[in-house]
Amino acid sequence: MDAGTALRGLMTAIDQKRWDDLESFLHLEFLCRYVHTGESFGRAEWIRANRDYPGFAHLKVEELVASPTEAACRSHVTGRDDAGIQHFECASFARMRDGLIVQLTEVWTDVEQTAPAGTRPGGAGA
């Protein structure tokens, strides 16, 4: 499978909470790195982290670009906690080997942050 098909398929399976299907997209030597926390996960650990994430609700791929061996996407992810619905954006970068995702790098951020004061032209963010 090519990188775009694999990454979109992986994200769709996560959104549909088809946890048993995730392995079919991931190489045995799969490694995921979370840039924002410095954590790395092997295949089983990454699947478990996604499956067991408290309050996960929905994942929608907003953009995806790909070559045969690499793909990147930006997804909007929602979750629920005691305070209500949480919104996140995730940038995912996948690299393929033997038709499966062998490397995934993810960068997560909260949505609705305010820019630091003085960092935007014309005083925006103040």
Side-chain angles (χ1 to χ4, degrees), residues 39-94:
E39 297 169 283
S40 293
F41 301 92
R43 188 167 88 160
E45 294 82 16
W46 186 80
I47 291 171
R48 188 169 46 252
N50 280 275
R51 182 193 67 214
D52 297 346
Y53 192 85
F56 170 73
H58 184 63
L59 181 154
K60 180 182 179 196
V61 173
E62 300 286 350
E63 299 179 70
L64 188 142
V65 294
S67 72
T69 60
E70 297 178 329
C73 73
R74 179 180 59 85
S75 302
H76 184 86
V77 181
T78 54
R80 299 182 194 283
D81 66 8
D82 293 338
I85 297 177
Q86 299 175 307
H87 295 270
F88 304 94
E89 293 286 320
C90 179
S92 302
F93 305 89

Side-chain angles (χ1 to χ4, degrees), residues 7-111:
L7 187 55
R8 185 174 298 281
L10 181 69
M11 296 302 165
T12 299
I14 291 170
D15 176 56
Q16 296 174 355
K17 301 177 183 168
R18 297 186 347 251
W19 310 120
D20 292 340
D21 292 348
L22 298 187
E23 282 186 354
S24 67
F25 297 99
L26 306 177
H27 195 278
L28 288 173
E29 297 177 19
F30 173 83
L31 183 66
C32 179
R33 184 171 71 98
Y34 287 174
V35 172
H36 54 291
T37 63
E39 297 169 283
S40 293
F41 301 92
R43 188 167 88 160
E45 294 82 16
W46 186 80
I47 291 171
R48 188 169 46 252
N50 280 275
R51 182 193 67 214
D52 297 346
Y53 192 85
F56 170 73
H58 184 63
L59 181 154
K60 180 182 179 196
V61 173
E62 300 286 350
E63 299 179 70
L64 188 142
V65 294
S67 72
T69 60
E70 297 178 329
C73 73
R74 179 180 59 85
S75 302
H76 184 86
V77 181
T78 54
R80 299 182 194 283
D81 66 8
D82 293 338
I85 297 177
Q86 299 175 307
H87 295 270
F88 304 94
E89 293 286 320
C90 179
S92 302
F93 305 89
R95 186 161 290 164
M96 304 292 285
R97 184 188 308 154
D98 305 325
L100 298 169
I101 299 170
V102 69
Q103 181 182 338
L104 187 66
T105 302
E106 293 190 335
V107 184
W108 288 79
T109 189
D110 295 337
V111 175

